[in-house]
């Protein structure tokens, strides 16, 4: 839930940084989409790190299920939006960066424990 809330919370920030890009019916510029993807990756790493740090045991398993659930949510968001004119790289970048971000968050958490 935290990752979804944080990603949604970036909307006002992105709207302020890129006025006119994030409005209904308009596809944002590539620069705005890259910034959105960058924020998504940072939030993903943070939330995977939190998941691993607060896991009562076997943090790898907890982050794995966090990653699976997030990937399913990403596919559910990508499929209906695939043909709506947005660049395909945008949807694919989120789907491909999510598992890597989760792994990085887990790695950072495990590094801290050792």
């Amino acid at each position: 839930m935290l990752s979804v809330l944080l990603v949604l919370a970036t909307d006002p920030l992105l709207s302020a940084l890129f006025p006119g890009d994030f409005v209904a019916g308009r596809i944002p510029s590539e620069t705005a989409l890259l910034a959105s993807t960058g924020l998504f990756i940072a939030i993903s790493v943070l939330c995977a790190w939190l998941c691993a740090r607060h896991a009562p045991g076997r943090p790898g398993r907890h982050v794995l299920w966090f990653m699976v659930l997030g990937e399913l949510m990403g596919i559910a968001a990508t499929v209906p939006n695939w043909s709506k004119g947005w660049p395909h790289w945008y949807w694919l970048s989120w789907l491909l960066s999510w598992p890597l971000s989760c792994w990085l968050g887990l790695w950072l958490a495990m590094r801290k424990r050792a």
Side-chain angles (χ1 to χ4, degrees):
M1 291 298 292
L2 179 62
S3 60
V4 172
L5 292 173
L6 289 175
V7 167
L8 291 175
T10 63
D11 287 349
L13 173 64
L14 290 167
S15 293
L17 292 173
F18 303 97
D21 265 339
F22 291 95
V23 295
R26 185 180 192 298
I27 297 171
S29 66
E30 286 210 12
T31 305
L33 292 176
L34 284 169
S36 172
T37 301
L39 288 171
F40 170 76
I41 291 170
I43 290 167
S44 301
V45 171
L46 170 69
C47 289
W49 178 82
L50 287 170
C51 180
R53 292 291 293 164
H54 294 289
R58 301 181 74 176
R61 180 172 285 204
H62 284 81
V63 173
L64 173 66
W65 283 108
F66 176 67
M67 188 268 304
V68 169
L69 178 62
E71 200 69 9
L72 290 173
M73 290 171 61
I75 291 168
T78 300
V79 169
N81 289 302
W82 189 257
S83 60
K84 292 193 176 178
W86 288 61
H88 291 159
W89 69 261
Y90 180 67
W91 303 110
L92 292 173
S93 68
W94 282 44
L95 288 174
L96 296 174
S97 67
W98 173 254
L100 296 173
S101 299
C102 289
W103 175 83
L104 181 58
L106 172 65
W107 180 78
L108 290 170
M110 296 305 293
R111 195 174 127 224
K112 188 82 167 172
R113 284 185 179 191

